[in-house]
Amino acid sequence: MNQTAKSISDRMKGRDWLMTQDWSDAEIELALDTAVQLKKEFKAGITSLHLPHKTIFLIFFDKSTRTRNSFEAGITQLGGHAHFVDSETSQIAHGESPKDMGIILSSYGHGIAIRHDLVPGEGQSYMREVARWAKVPVINMQCDVDHPCQTLADLMTIREEFGKDLRDLKIAVSWAYAPSYVKPMSVPQGLIMLMTRLGMNVTLAHPPEYTLMDEPMRLARDNALLSGSSFEVVDNMEDAIADADIVYPKSWGVESLYGQPEEAMKVAQQYRSWICDEAMMARAKEKAIYMHCLPADRGCEVTDSVIDGPQSRVYPEAENRMHTAKALMALTM
Ligand code: CP
């Protein structure tokens, strides 16, 4: 076996990864190919030191398991190092500006990644302001609008299952009930924007209060027109999942109620029946897969029998978060 890591393209060096929509189809293809290469090398025990001694700053305004650890493990495997920056224990909490964060952290290292996902209207703007001043690439680890690291890993997982040509597959992106916390809107928004680009037929389902933001909805409609796929919105999980190839039910919040968790949960309580159970999965195609970005509220968003069942791909999906994070860092930093 050849034990030497293959080289990585340098044509994306210095580029930000703020929304999947910012990258062309060819650039997304390059990111996926790079992730596949890095995954193979990782599994084969081949050391892939593409970023020796390089530093990435990971700024978090919210909690994380997968995102933080996939970036930290990923940069270590690439030969670099991550600094964890908590918004609550850094000077961000005293109002330090995104301009200062961009300029100062750029002067210390080689990349900045940010999670700022819980305040509609703030996260994407904050990242774009950091990126305006930063001299290093800025990566979106989840904002109010998009979660491009998640949806890239989702795409990789879907391709592992169905191959590269995804035209005419149906993906059901449905709201589901979760009492643990008010989850961001960025995953369903990211999914409808990205999957419509690839020719997949996307059906979005949600109760009336859970509309998504205007811009991702507009982009999803435009992308579907361009790719010749369909994008439809229904008001129940059953219709969305009927004949689907990919079933992706998860919770998100009411846009006007972020910051008011008690009010938000009162609304959600009306829709406790929005759970993905075996009867719901039976409406999908026989070979359909179940996906969730995690963390999932077991017993509320999904039953154990589905998330632990043979159709579930949640663990390969979570694993692919690291391979895609490594690809994004190795390509841009
Ligand atoms: N899916 C996801 O982004 O997981 P974390 O919130 O744990 O990072």
Side-chain angles (χ1 to χ4, degrees), residues 202-305:
V202 179
T203 302
L204 172 71
H206 59 75
E209 295 88 344
Y210 292 88
T211 49
L212 297 179
M213 290 175 173
D214 291 342
E215 182 66 358
M217 291 291 286
R218 182 188 67 75
L219 286 167
R221 280 191 291 268
D222 290 354
N223 290 344
L225 270 179
L226 277 173
S227 74
S229 66
S230 66
F231 174 55
E232 65 167 338
V233 186
V234 298
D235 63 4
N236 65 90
M237 196 188 273
E238 288 83 355
D239 284 351
I241 290 181
D243 292 321
D245 299 279
I246 299 139
V247 176
Y248 204 131
K250 80 167 301 296
S251 192
W252 64 86
V254 177
E255 186 175 351
S256 60
L257 294 180
Y258 281 88
Q260 300 172 63
E262 282 169 22
E263 290 305 312
M265 283 305 162
K266 267 189 219 156
V267 179
Q269 288 284 332
Q270 301 172 73
Y271 304 110
R272 293 174 77 109
S273 63
W274 286 59
I275 180 169
C276 186
D277 57 14
E278 282 175 320
M280 198 65 78
M281 282 304 290
R283 301 180 71 84
K285 291 213 177 101
E286 202 181 330
K287 292 195 172 162
I289 60 169
Y290 167 85
M291 298 180 73
H292 193 296
C293 58
L294 304 180
D297 280 35
R298 285 167 176 258
C300 294
E301 287 180 285
V302 59
T303 57
D304 286 343
S305 59

